[in-house]
Amino acid sequence: MGFAEDFLWGAATSAAQVEGGFEMDGRSPSIWDVAPKEKIANGENCHDSAMQRTHYQEDVAIMKKMGLKAYRFSISWSRVMPKPHFVSRKGIQYYSDLVDELLKAGIEPLVTLYHWDLPLWAYELDGWESEALVPHFVEYVETVVTALSDRVRYWITFNEPSCFLMNGYMQGVHAPFKRKYLSLPRITRVFMLCNKAAVEAIRNNAILSPKVGLSFAFGVYLPEVKRDKASEEAAYIKSFSKQMGVMNNAWFLKPILEGKKVRAYGIYHTKGKPAVEYQVKFDFIAINVYSAFDYGSYGGNPHIDRSKVKYDAIGNAIDGDSLYYAVKFLYRRYHLPILVSENGMAADKEKVEDGHVHDSYRTDYIKEYLSSLKKAVNEGNEVIGYCHWSLLDNFEWAEGYRTRFGLIYVDWQSKERTIKDSFYEYSKIIAENGRSL
């Protein structure tokens, strides 16, 4: 069976992590641009990062060389709308030029509208804590869709709401670095309203018939006994109803896809409102998958011998079954096409040697996870694409620049690009459509 001939073999980035040029085009700061130095490793910032803003033509040429069929990138709200009700012509022109360059190279643009970088001006209007954000977000979405939808078909409304809401407003480990646990119902409601309004804005304004989804940070619990039906069933149920299965998965999936409310931490996020108010119809579900919940500190499997587990540089356990079961469980529940919008591994101490970066560990990772993905596809689960995280080495949020995720090495001083060995291996997989996996 294998992957479909039109399978979207891709790579992904986000604006705040690779774009740089933080003051170009009249752009105003996002909450990540003003992050306190003590909150980011080594006091670093995202102001320049990989400078894709000025290197986008070079990057697209490299993508074409790789044979990519799709590129997932995000729009910087601050670049398009540096202040309320004002559109930067230069800002929107940059994204139009990027889309043109991708299409000229035969690469499908997959546009994410929000990938964590809330404009500072929107944050100062109370951001995700105020429903006043909704009309501002809708105005932004309409602006982008009107400008690009004559060429863009795939739209992802948000990236990982569980992360930017909970890490940013509850755990205080990501911008805006708040620790306000009681804000959870309120910030969830504002996000849900923005998401539904964004979907409606896309469908009402798009020129090309749109395909709309959302990238969830989706995880699962693995069966404790492999190839055992009862164990697999228990893992499926737990993945939507227990511990992280509730907080990370059901808290967002059930209201959006089922119109049902969820209780966690003793509270309902609907605050008396009907959950059906948040329900939308997606054309696909996008998921970002790195590791299974079993390896986590909260709700993890105590029986795992962690001395035998491989981890990447930021502590994600490497286990291809994480992706296999994520696809299998999600498709079983919702029967919507799945886009793997992120999957990859962090490494440290990578360097260029004789013009090469030898990252055999990343090659092994790609083969392991893609083999698991192919297994899920062969079992009848509909997967429309896979985007490796990341195309380029990037600003990794609070981790700064001390780890590298890219298929392409970036010299942080010169911004010179060097293709890694894993790039060539992924290119081979794309060329033969995964047949040898």
Side-chain angles (χ1 to χ4, degrees):
M1 184 175 176
F3 299 103
E5 289 303 313
D6 60 352
F7 190 78
L8 295 170
W9 293 103
T13 63
S14 84
Q17 293 178 275
V18 303
E19 203 170 81
F22 81 113
E23 290 183 324
M24 293 179 66
D25 311 316
R27 182 183 178 276
S28 63
S30 78
I31 54 174
W32 279 99
D33 290 302
V34 298
K37 286 187 176 182
E38 66 272 16
K39 297 292 187 179
I40 311 296
N42 303 314
E44 294 164 336
N45 61 60
C46 62
H47 294 172
D48 292 329
S49 61
M51 281 303 299
Q52 186 166 86
R53 172 62 187 86
T54 55
H55 288 253
Y56 73 93
Q57 291 174 310
E58 175 187 358
D59 290 344
V60 173
I62 296 174
M63 292 183 228
K64 183 177 181 180
K65 178 179 180 181
M66 189 193 300
L68 283 192
K69 308 300 182 185
Y71 178 48
R72 179 192 171 212
F73 63 95
S74 75
I75 307 286
S76 165
W77 186 353
S78 298
R79 192 177 301 282
V80 172
M81 301 190 75
K83 59 184 179 181
H85 314 304
F86 175 79
V87 177
S88 166
R89 291 185 180 180
K90 289 183 179 179
I92 201 69
Q93 186 62 49
Y94 163 63
Y95 295 107
S96 182
D97 292 343
L98 173 58
V99 166
D100 285 344
E101 198 74 15
L102 289 166
L103 293 175
K104 188 169 64 176
I107 299 169
E108 187 82 40
L110 313 178
V111 174
T112 303
L113 289 163
Y114 184 87
H115 197 128
W116 301 12
D117 50 349
L118 185 70
L120 182 60
W121 63 259
Y123 173 70
E124 291 173 344
L125 296 174
D126 292 330
W128 295 109
E129 297 184 86
S130 171
E131 290 183 29
L133 184 67
V134 179
H136 287 290
F137 189 68
V138 170
E139 183 181 7
Y140 157 67
V141 173
E142 290 176 342
T143 298
V144 174
V145 171
T146 299
L148 303 181
S149 66
D150 59 331
R151 290 155 290 161
V152 172
R153 294 186 298 160
Y154 288 89
W155 300 93
I156 295 170
T157 54
F158 287 92
N159 182 76
E160 298 182 336
S162 62
C163 293
F164 75 78
L165 293 177
M166 295 180 184
N167 287 349
Y169 283 84
M170 293 177 62
Q171 301 296 331
V173 295
H174 283 168
F177 302 100
K178 300 291 185 181
R179 292 180 63 85
K180 302 172 70 173
Y181 281 88
L182 295 180
S183 71
L184 180 59
R186 182 167 64 256
I187 60 178
T188 300
R189 174 171 170 77
V190 175
F191 154 71
M192 295 281 187
L193 292 174
C194 280
N195 179 66
K196 183 162 186 174
V199 173
E200 292 172 352
I202 294 168
R203 297 203 189 283
N204 290 338
N205 291 277
I207 297 169
L208 294 181
S209 180
K211 296 181 182 295
V212 186
L214 189 157
S215 285
F216 296 93
F218 188 68
V220 292
Y221 288 97
L222 303 175
E224 293 196 13
V225 180
K226 292 185 177 181
R227 293 178 293 279
D228 178 81
K229 288 185 178 180
S231 184
E232 184 170 300
E233 184 66 19
Y236 171 78
I237 293 171
K238 188 177 181 182
S239 294
F240 294 98
S241 63
K242 303 291 184 182
Q243 297 166 319
M244 288 297 288
V246 173
M247 202 68 257
N248 188 81
N249 294 345
W251 186 262
F252 297 96
L253 289 164
K254 289 186 73 173
I256 292 174
L257 296 175
E258 301 175 38
K260 297 178 180 178
K261 60 185 178 182
V262 181
R263 185 174 184 269
Y265 292 121
I267 55 176
Y268 289 104
H269 55 53
T270 54
K271 294 190 71 175
K273 304 288 185 179
V276 71
E277 184 178 357
Y278 310 130
Q279 188 174 12
V280 300
K281 183 178 180 181
F282 283 140
D283 301 293
F284 63 93
I285 307 177
I287 53 173
N288 300 344
V289 180
Y290 293 88
S291 187
F293 293 143
D294 303 72
Y295 302 103
S297 56
Y298 174 72
N301 185 344
H303 305 297
I304 291 176
D305 183 353
R306 283 166 167 73
S307 67
K308 297 180 180 179
V309 178
K310 296 180 294 182
Y311 296 91
D312 74 0
I314 60 172
N316 287 326
I318 298 173
D319 184 348
D321 278 347
S322 302
L323 183 55
Y324 167 74
Y325 282 107
V327 168
K328 186 172 183 176
F329 288 174
L330 193 65
Y331 191 72
R332 171 183 167 181
R333 190 175 185 93
Y334 294 112
H335 295 285
L336 282 171
I338 293 172
L339 169 70
V340 180
S341 46
E342 286 185 28
N343 170 247
M345 68 163 293
D348 56 14
K349 300 178 181 177
E350 290 186 331
K351 59 182 180 180
V352 179
E353 298 176 307
D354 299 323
H356 299 277
V357 178
H358 302 297
D359 59 340
S360 58
Y361 39 83
R362 187 171 286 107
T363 295
D364 293 341
Y365 179 100
I366 291 171
K367 289 180 177 178
E368 177 176 343
Y369 276 76
L370 284 179
S371 293
S372 291
L373 183 63
K374 184 176 181 179
K375 178 182 175 184
V377 169
N378 285 340
E379 291 178 2
N381 301 287
E382 186 179 359
V383 182
I384 61 174
Y386 169 90
C387 294
H388 186 80
W389 184 272
S390 170
L391 175 73
L392 299 159
D393 288 337
N394 54 268
F395 173 78
E396 189 52 33
W397 310 116
E399 293 287 326
Y401 297 99
R402 64 186 178 187
T403 62
R404 294 177 180 269
F405 269 95
L407 296 165
I408 301 168
Y409 181 96
V410 178
D411 182 296
W412 298 125
Q413 303 306 314
S414 68
K415 310 305 179 188
E416 181 180 359
R417 275 75 164 135
T418 301
I419 294 172
K420 300 180 187 181
D421 288 355
S422 58
F423 170 105
Y424 293 108
E425 292 301 321
Y426 185 39
S427 181
K428 291 177 185 176
I429 292 170
I430 294 171
E432 45 98 43
N433 204 32
R435 280 185 284 275
S436 65
L437 291 168

